[in-house]
Amino acid sequence: MQQLRPTMRPSGWFQVAWSSELPLGGVKPLRYFGQDLVAYRGEDGVVRVLDAYCRHLGGHLGYGGTVAGDCVVCPFHGWRWNGEGRNTHIPYQDRPNTSRQLTAWPVIERDECVFVWHDATGRPPGREVPHIFTEVAEHVRDLPFHPATPRGLVRYDDVTILPQTVAENAADPVHFRFVHETRDIPVALRQGSDEDRWFIQLGFGRRWTAWDPNSHDGDTLSIVQAGIGLSYTALSGHDNTVILLATTPIDDRTSTMFQTVWLERRDGDDEPGVLDRRMRAATAQLKNDIVIWSHQRYEDPPALATVEGQLFGDLRRWCRRWYPITEAHPVPASPAPSGA
Ligand code: FES
Ligand SMILES: [Fe+2]
């Protein structure tokens, strides 16, 4: 059974950090999905995410915790917990406590980002997050890119944004004309979806009327929505850029948005100020969306113009699969969206 109305507790993979925030032996407190968590990078280089509170006397592992081998060490009395959440060592007793365990969150570290799997009903992880250079757009596969770290990491904390609002951006070519002041409304060239991903490619500029695989003039924007929380975009044209926009609920009201930007390597990038200037240009537009999204009310069903109905309807139907029925959200709420 699937919940119909979007909530702040969707299932799926969600970004919780950037790789660079967790150096070898690094420990970091996190708060997402209304829960306190700790992330750490073991001496083996692997990132783990656990519930934050030590099962001994409830010390928060993220504040003062340290790393020993593949374990996090509680700052309060030195108990060690491994990546499965098991106690492996009590410094003043000859055997660990095997009766208590911390919840271990499934983790993927990929493309300079750290993701966790969340499912309010405890279902195991679904399909892995996309690889950004091979699974988002054909044209970026063979291009050289700068790392996103450190310049291309932009974070917006405590924004009152429903993650599905950001996902629905993929079905909204019209807003580019008004929010981003493009000359024209972009044209939807291709669109498709499967169980885990919803894809669209938009064409900018008057010459685009339909998808033409042999044409390389005119900018396009490919968007792959992977679950509710991960929006991958690839811009092609005069400035090839790849962006991951990740929206992760903190609690039932607020989210963190992580914007991660990879710029194509180009001649002249090592001149002073050039990369900073390109990055400013690549990240400037999101602020305009955020002002809208953080004050937006979720309309259900929305009053759509005729041309908008098909894309919005398709995306909203696809989104429903990410909302399991839970005790907190027991009743399917609203009718399906309708066009016009
Ligand atoms: S509370 Fe963690 S070791 Fe005591
Ligand atoms: Fe936008």
Side-chain angles (χ1 to χ4, degrees):
M1 281 262 274
Q2 285 158 351
Q3 173 75 25
L4 296 188
R5 197 176 175 80
T7 69
M8 296 294 278
R9 302 295 170 98
S11 301
W13 289 101
F14 292 85
Q15 187 175 349
V16 294
W18 283 295
S19 297
S20 55
E21 297 178 293
L22 286 162
L24 212 58
V27 180
K28 184 176 166 57
L30 303 173
R31 183 167 172 79
Y32 290 110
F33 300 101
Q35 297 179 60
D36 291 308
L37 311 172
V38 61
Y40 69 96
R41 191 184 295 279
E43 287 167 14
D44 56 0
V46 177
V47 173
R48 281 105 176 167
V49 176
L50 303 173
D51 279 356
Y53 297 107
C54 177
R55 299 304 307 274
H56 174 220
L57 281 166
H60 193 307
L61 298 164
Y63 292 92
T66 52
V67 164
D70 61 355
C71 292
V72 61
V73 185
C74 181
F76 207 172
H77 314 89
W79 289 33
R80 292 185 187 179
W81 302 91
N82 72 10
E84 284 94 58
R86 293 184 197 284
N87 176 229
T88 59
H89 180 66
I90 298 172
Y92 43 92
Q93 176 173 295
D94 57 5
R95 68 205 140 72
N97 181 311
T98 52
S99 67
R100 297 292 186 94
Q101 210 175 327
L102 288 161
T103 301
W105 291 58
V107 177
I108 292 177
E109 182 174 26
R110 178 166 296 172
D111 296 328
E112 304 173 59
C113 299
V114 177
F115 306 92
V116 299
W117 171 261
H118 169 262
D119 183 275
T121 58
R123 290 177 299 184
R127 181 171 167 192
E128 292 198 351
V129 302
H131 291 270
I132 195 153
F133 296 114
T134 54
E135 293 185 70
V136 178
E138 298 96 340
H139 76 274
V140 299
R141 268 172 199 254
D142 304 318
L143 295 176
F145 281 88
H146 293 283
T149 310
R151 191 183 264 104
L153 313 183
V154 187
R155 180 181 174 127
Y156 299 85
D157 274 314
D158 299 313
V159 286
T160 49
I161 293 178
L162 179 71
Q164 186 164 323
T165 300
V166 184
E168 290 186 10
N169 189 55
D172 183 11
V174 176
H175 94 285
F176 283 95
R177 169 75 186 78
F178 298 94
V179 178
H180 306 305
E181 297 179 340
T182 56
R183 199 185 53 181
D184 306 296
I185 294 172
V187 181
L189 302 172
R190 293 190 286 174
Q191 194 266 311
S193 62
D194 62 23
E195 273 294 299
D196 311 287
R197 310 213 178 137
W198 197 94
F199 162 80
I200 194 165
Q201 186 170 24
L202 304 174
F204 291 82
R206 294 236 160 94
R207 66 157 306 285
W208 283 113
T209 51
W211 170 241
D212 174 359
N214 300 315
S215 171
H216 297 290
D217 42 326
D219 294 353
T220 71
L221 176 67
S222 301
I223 305 177
V224 173
Q225 188 64 35
I228 298 293
L230 303 177
S231 307
Y232 291 84
T233 64
L235 279 152
S236 79
H238 69 282
D239 204 347
N240 291 299
T241 306
V242 190
I243 299 173
L244 169 57
L245 186 56
T247 315
T248 309
I250 297 169
D251 51 32
D252 282 334
R253 213 178 68 82
T254 57
S255 299
T256 296
M257 289 195 85
F258 299 86
Q259 187 187 27
T260 309
V261 182
W262 292 264
L263 297 174
E264 185 188 3
R265 285 183 193 274
R266 294 205 309 214
D267 293 344
D269 280 347
D270 37 14
E271 311 268 321
V274 168
L275 270 180
D276 287 327
R277 226 173 9 254
R278 287 181 61 200
M279 193 55 84
R280 267 200 303 280
T283 53
Q285 288 295 325
L286 181 62
K287 297 181 188 72
N288 301 347
D289 295 290
I290 286 181
V291 172
I292 305 263
W293 294 337
S294 56
H295 295 93
Q296 187 179 347
R297 183 178 70 177
Y298 190 79
E299 289 295 306
D300 190 16
L304 298 170
T306 311
V307 293
E308 298 169 313
Q310 195 262 329
L311 279 182
F312 258 95
D314 191 76
L315 182 61
R316 282 201 174 181
R317 274 190 298 280
W318 179 86
C319 284
R320 281 186 212 144
R321 74 196 60 200
W322 301 99
Y323 297 97
I325 301 272
T326 62
E327 260 171 53
H329 302 105
V331 187
S334 308
S338 62

